[in-house]
Amino acid sequence: MKMTTREKLVERTLTLLRERGKNALEVAKQSILQERIEYKPLQEALRYFMDEFFKDVMHPGLLSIYCEAVGGDPDETTQVGAAMVLLVGAADLHDDIIDQSTTKNGKPTVFGKFGRDVTVLAGDALLIKGVFLLFEATAILPENSKRAILRLITQAFFDLSSAEAEEASLRGKNDLSGREYLEILKRKTAVSEATARIGAILGEGTPSEVGTIGEIGHILGLLNTMRDEFIDVFEPDELSNRAAREILPLPVLNIFQDPKKKDEIFKLLKRRKITRQETERILDIVMEATETK
């Protein structure tokens, strides 16, 4: 089947990100897997996460592109990119515990495969190693660049944690408006914006360039988050988990302005396990709604 122009563009974009992010991902993987870990289940959990589950080329790939965009050498971003992979991975593991996510994209999460305790400790291991790599990567930079990068990463992960905590506190609140939830999602883009600014700093961009690239990072982060919100409406397991343990996806919350649609969706969501047929009905309601468009 012949690919459309849009499909070709998507494939080219993904190929570019994989090419730009693969070295940093490999450095991150090797740095954590070479550590001596006596407890075999923890060792296996880390290997499973880095080998089979977590393939974050987006953050290091974009870091490289942002650096080059202001005239820098993209190869100079590998070590910071590897640190970002581990820090984002740590946040991902801890988020799965909060949400009790046992599967993602059809594969068991570390939480689903190894349990809560091992997942907490795996996340801690990634966090510690990520901070260590970041310290090493920034040690050779000019003092002002080093301080700016460390400050950006610190603030970004505090902002992300704050947004995640607020999201957890609203779990099961079915009268939450789409607009309220969107404000939380905007704060969850803090790491994407920080990644953009750090790339521009590594490329020795001007303050104006760093600001502009940061805005681009914020927009791309929000678009990626919105994409994930729509994807979860398509997946029965994710939709079931979000109905039971999280906040419903943004597109679903948006159509709750219509009482009739809200009642119909609630009847479907009350089932313990949402079937593919019920998911498709919810999807039809959401995608046909004026609020979604």
Side-chain angles (χ1 to χ4, degrees):
M1 184 181 295
K2 190 175 180 179
M3 294 178 72
T4 65
T5 301
R6 184 171 61 179
E7 288 170 337
K8 288 178 182 177
L9 182 59
V10 169
E11 186 54 40
R12 283 174 59 191
T13 303
L14 293 174
T15 299
L16 175 63
L17 286 174
R18 282 193 288 266
E19 184 63 30
R20 290 299 190 95
K22 67 180 181 181
N23 289 341
L25 181 61
E26 185 63 23
V27 170
K29 173 182 165 183
Q30 294 305 322
S31 70
I32 194 70
L33 295 185
Q34 71 183 7
E35 292 293 333
R36 182 182 174 189
I37 297 173
E38 297 288 351
Y39 186 55
K40 193 172 180 181
L42 179 57
Q43 184 184 68
E44 289 176 352
L46 287 167
R47 185 171 297 281
Y48 171 73
F49 185 69
M50 297 303 297
D51 268 345
E52 300 182 43
F53 192 85
F54 192 66
K55 304 291 184 183
D56 179 22
V57 292
M58 186 182 72
H59 285 92
L62 286 172
L63 188 73
S64 165
I65 292 168
Y66 294 136
C67 174
E68 188 176 30
V70 297
D73 181 357
D75 292 335
E76 296 296 321
T77 66
T78 299
Q79 296 301 318
V80 174
M84 291 295 294
V85 168
L86 294 178
L87 294 172
V88 171
D92 190 70
L93 286 169
H94 290 156
D95 190 46
D96 284 345
I97 298 168
I98 294 169
D99 297 337
Q100 299 182 48
S101 296
T102 56
T103 60
K104 278 184 181 175
N105 302 317
K107 296 186 72 171
T109 61
V110 172
F111 174 72
K113 191 176 177 70
F114 295 92
R116 183 194 63 185
D117 295 348
V118 167
T119 305
V120 169
L121 296 170
D124 291 348
L126 293 183
L127 182 61
I128 292 167
K129 191 66 180 181
V131 170
F132 179 76
L133 285 187
L134 184 63
F135 175 79
E136 283 195 323
T138 57
I140 60 172
L141 297 176
E143 187 64 24
N144 61 331
S145 297
K146 173 184 174 180
R147 286 183 175 277
I149 289 171
L150 294 177
R151 186 167 58 247
L152 280 166
I153 289 181
T154 300
Q155 190 59 57
F157 280 94
F158 271 112
D159 288 345
L160 176 62
S161 297
S162 176
E164 294 279 6
E166 184 176 356
E167 186 176 31
S169 75
L170 297 170
R171 188 182 292 131
K173 188 178 179 183
N174 296 319
D175 59 345
L176 183 70
S177 73
R179 187 174 296 275
E180 289 174 293
Y181 187 41
L182 179 59
E183 291 305 311
I184 296 173
L185 294 178
K186 285 179 181 178
R187 299 211 309 277
K188 290 175 74 172
T189 67
V191 175
S192 295
E193 182 173 346
T195 299
R197 290 179 178 272
I198 290 165
I201 290 170
L202 291 172
E204 300 183 5
T206 65
S208 176
E209 288 173 330
V210 172
T212 299
I213 293 289
E215 290 176 16
I216 293 170
H218 172 76
I219 292 167
L220 287 179
L222 186 57
L223 287 172
N224 192 55
T225 299
M226 297 287 282
R227 172 184 173 274
D228 289 343
E229 290 295 303
F230 273 91
I231 285 174
D232 284 354
V233 185
F234 285 76
E235 298 292 336
D237 288 342
E238 281 295 329
L239 197 53
S240 295
N241 194 65
R242 292 192 66 158
R245 303 183 181 91
E246 303 178 54
I247 296 174
L248 288 167
L250 181 65
V252 176
L253 292 177
N254 274 335
I255 67 167
F256 279 1
Q257 299 171 53
D258 185 327
K260 292 177 71 174
K261 292 174 186 169
K262 182 176 181 178
D263 287 345
E264 183 175 359
I265 285 180
F266 268 138
K267 287 176 184 176
L268 294 167
L269 292 175
K270 281 181 179 177
R271 319 285 173 87
R272 178 171 293 183
K273 185 75 172 175
I274 302 170
T275 65
R276 170 58 63 183
Q277 185 177 6
E278 289 161 349
T279 302
E280 289 175 357
R281 176 56 192 149
I282 292 171
L283 187 59
D284 286 342
I285 297 170
V286 168
M287 298 306 291
E288 291 170 7
T290 302
E291 294 85 356
T292 302
K293 290 181 174 61

